[in-house]
Amino acid sequence: MIECPKDRSVNMTYIEAPLETVWQAVATPRGSDCYLTNQVETTGDADHVKAGDLLTLYYGDITNRAYVMEVEPLKKFVLADAYESMAPDGTVDPFRVRTTYTFEAEGPFTKLVLEVMGFADNTHGQWFRECLEMGWRRSLANLKSVLELGMDLRTELFSYPRLGITNCTVNAEQGVRTGVREGQGNYLLDVFPGGPADEAGLQAGDVIVAIDNIQVPDYRAYVKTVSRYYGSSMPLEITYMRDGKECRTCVNASIEDQFTGLIDGDADVQELEKARRQQIANERSASGLIWKTNKEGATTYDRDR
């Protein structure tokens, strides 16, 4: 991870593909579907984006309504993003940031740098920054796979087990409250009722410090550790702190069973759109049939991404 101020995150990758190919995949609405989105709506040309276009991008459980601020073909692409993430109770949390992509040809490679700026200086902003940084890390890995190998692995990259929590790295304020030092665990902001963590007895305010005796001092370590259990039905032993005491429990983690965005309309329209997007996601996955089989009967908990 590239170190930077807390109001932003930076990801960088080198892709063995022509600059023009990477630009088309990243900076056009039609190209985005090859590695990231299930659907993009635009007020402009789906093949040639320009400043002033309005984009609505659907992927995962998120809708991103983006205004194209700047387009410098083959060099720079800037968006004013307004993400909308649906909470368990159906409410919508808005997050506004500025996303800048820069492109540079280096021999047979294209260097792609993605900087997201404007995260709030509070716990909610920290949670969003940590989630988005890891989300983009995986999405750029998928872009590299698509352009270099012809394989769309977004399902595999995002289908690590879910505990049904919203969590972030323990910050200074939470450290005082919990007695766990800053940067030494994952603070539980939410535990979804009826979810795996809830059924295992975890509560909001607990701090997860280890999974199967593997230390998880920050959000990135947490995601990397639970990702090791991809395709496994084994319960996870969670070590956590509550009221200054170390506790342990076992969680039967769940695999998210839908790729849905925030959808307007009545319940029937929402269900039809969810089913359509799920079909698209499965068809694009390199192992759609396996994914479909593995997730039968699973419960969806998709905010701890």
Side-chain angles (χ1 to χ4, degrees), residues 15 32 50 57 60 69 117 127 195 218 237 248 290 302:
I15 302 172
S32 175
K50 65 181 187 303
L57 304 94
M69 298 182 65
M117 300 179 59
W127 166 79
D218 54 30
E237 183 182 61
R248 291 176 183 264
I290 296 175
D302 48 15

Side-chain angles (χ1 to χ4, degrees), residues 52-179:
D53 286 350
L54 296 175
L55 310 176
T56 303
L57 304 94
Y58 300 100
Y59 47 97
D61 63 336
I62 291 175
T63 297
N64 175 17
R65 306 185 192 282
Y67 174 78
V68 181
M69 298 182 65
E70 183 179 349
V71 177
E72 190 175 353
L74 305 182
K75 293 183 179 181
K76 191 175 184 181
F77 180 53
V78 184
L79 297 174
D81 293 302
Y83 289 92
E84 297 174 350
S85 182
M86 184 178 289
D89 62 2
T91 59
V92 175
D93 297 322
F95 301 92
R96 298 182 182 278
V97 291
R98 174 173 172 151
T99 305
T100 300
Y101 307 79
T102 55
F103 307 76
E104 183 179 353
E106 294 192 10
F109 294 90
T110 296
K111 176 183 177 183
L112 174 62
V113 179
L114 187 153
E115 181 179 49
V116 184
M117 300 179 59
F119 296 107
D121 186 18
N122 54 35
T123 294
H124 217 46
Q126 175 191 336
W127 166 79
F128 183 50
R129 173 172 55 82
E130 292 182 331
C131 290
L132 201 60
E133 196 278 335
M134 286 301 288
W136 271 120
R137 183 179 294 269
R138 289 170 183 260
S139 293
L140 292 180
N142 191 46
L143 174 63
K144 185 177 178 69
S145 177
V146 168
L147 296 185
E148 292 186 359
L149 304 175
M151 298 178 68
D152 184 348
L153 301 176
R154 75 184 80 182
T155 298
E156 288 73 14
L157 286 164
F158 284 98
S159 60
Y160 58 85
R162 301 302 202 270
L163 273 63
I165 60 175
T166 300
N167 58 297
C168 67
T169 305
V170 173
N171 58 31
E173 178 184 348
Q174 295 158 357
V176 172
R177 187 183 309 152
T178 64

